[in-house]
Amino acid sequence: MSELDPGALRTAHMVASVLLGYPDERLYGEREVLAGAVAGLPEGEVRTRLAAFLEHAETAGRVELAAHYVATFDLKRRCCPYLTYYAYGDTRKRGAALLRFKHAFRSAGFELADGELPDHLAVVCELLARGAVREARRLLQENRAGVELLRKALEAEHSPYADVVAAVLATLGPASLRDEEAALRLASQGPPAEEVGLEPYAVMEASR
């Protein structure tokens, strides 16, 4: 179980959704609000991890953090923030998985912005923060192995974003044996690489 009550859970995911997006004015213009929200969370890993990232963002500055964001999330496949990529790679099955995310958003009454894919971790966190807790938690639990791999990849890169992903995972409670086995299996096999029929769902550019 999560260590947070429902209100704190939504607050933690609201902060995480901002921190996992590109570091623009939404992050740097609202640092004090975000820091205050984090300070109001119960003591524990979630608060510690989010606070650590905010401290890094303050120290590094906007230009440096933006460059790191691009180098990490845009140029490294293993640091892909799109959760269905880990299980389905560039295959037609990924399209069906993305539709499942879209249906979850629609059932919760939320529409995505044009061009926005629903399986980006920041977007799923925002869904939970807006009140669709059950739908968002289900998506995160179903794709937990991918989130675990993302955390490990970010840790291997010594990226401060590992703290944010770890905070999101901490809101889900301890991983089950099944989750751990799934993460190990994905890590050993890697994502499938079929390139057919993916035009509407293409996320990763050829250069990644």
Side-chain angles (χ1 to χ4, degrees), residues 163-202:
D163 280 321
V164 186
V165 177
V168 172
L169 285 167
T171 69
L172 303 179
S176 67
L177 179 60
R178 182 178 179 180
D179 292 329
E180 293 174 353
E181 290 174 344
L184 287 172
R185 184 167 59 252
L186 286 179
S188 63
Q189 296 175 352
E194 176 184 298
E195 298 286 349
V196 180
L198 266 183
E199 288 80 2
Y201 303 104

Side-chain angles (χ1 to χ4, degrees), residues 40-115:
L41 295 174
E43 290 186 5
E45 183 177 9
V46 177
R47 189 174 83 176
T48 299
R49 293 278 197 166
L50 294 176
F53 180 88
L54 285 170
E55 182 177 350
H56 174 85
E58 178 72 24
T59 302
R62 183 169 173 173
V63 173
E64 180 180 330
L65 187 62
H68 175 78
Y69 185 96
V70 171
T72 301
F73 292 116
D74 290 352
L75 301 179
K76 292 183 172 68
R77 277 185 181 269
R78 66 176 186 160
C79 296
C80 177
Y82 296 94
L83 303 184
T84 60
Y85 174 77
Y86 293 92
Y88 301 104
D90 293 325
T91 70
R92 284 169 290 187
K93 289 183 178 179
R94 187 174 176 207
L98 283 167
L99 285 176
R100 182 166 172 76
F101 276 76
K102 287 186 177 182
H103 290 157
F105 274 75
R106 286 171 183 164
S107 68
F110 298 112
E111 290 294 331
L112 296 164
D114 290 342

Side-chain angles (χ1 to χ4, degrees), residues 118-202:
D119 63 333
H120 193 293
L121 182 54
V123 177
V124 181
C125 287
E126 183 176 358
L127 178 66
L128 192 152
R130 289 186 178 186
V133 177
R134 179 177 59 85
E135 294 87 348
R137 283 181 65 89
R138 185 179 73 248
L139 292 173
L140 290 169
Q141 291 286 15
E142 290 175 354
N143 294 272
R144 180 162 187 156
V147 185
E148 294 279 5
L149 286 184
L150 175 58
R151 176 185 60 81
K152 291 178 180 179
L154 292 169
E155 288 176 347
E157 295 291 331
H158 304 289
S159 171
Y161 285 98
D163 280 321
V164 186
V165 177
V168 172
L169 285 167
T171 69
L172 303 179
S176 67
L177 179 60
R178 182 178 179 180
D179 292 329
E180 293 174 353
E181 290 174 344
L184 287 172
R185 184 167 59 252
L186 286 179
S188 63
Q189 296 175 352
E194 176 184 298
E195 298 286 349
V196 180
L198 266 183
E199 288 80 2
Y201 303 104

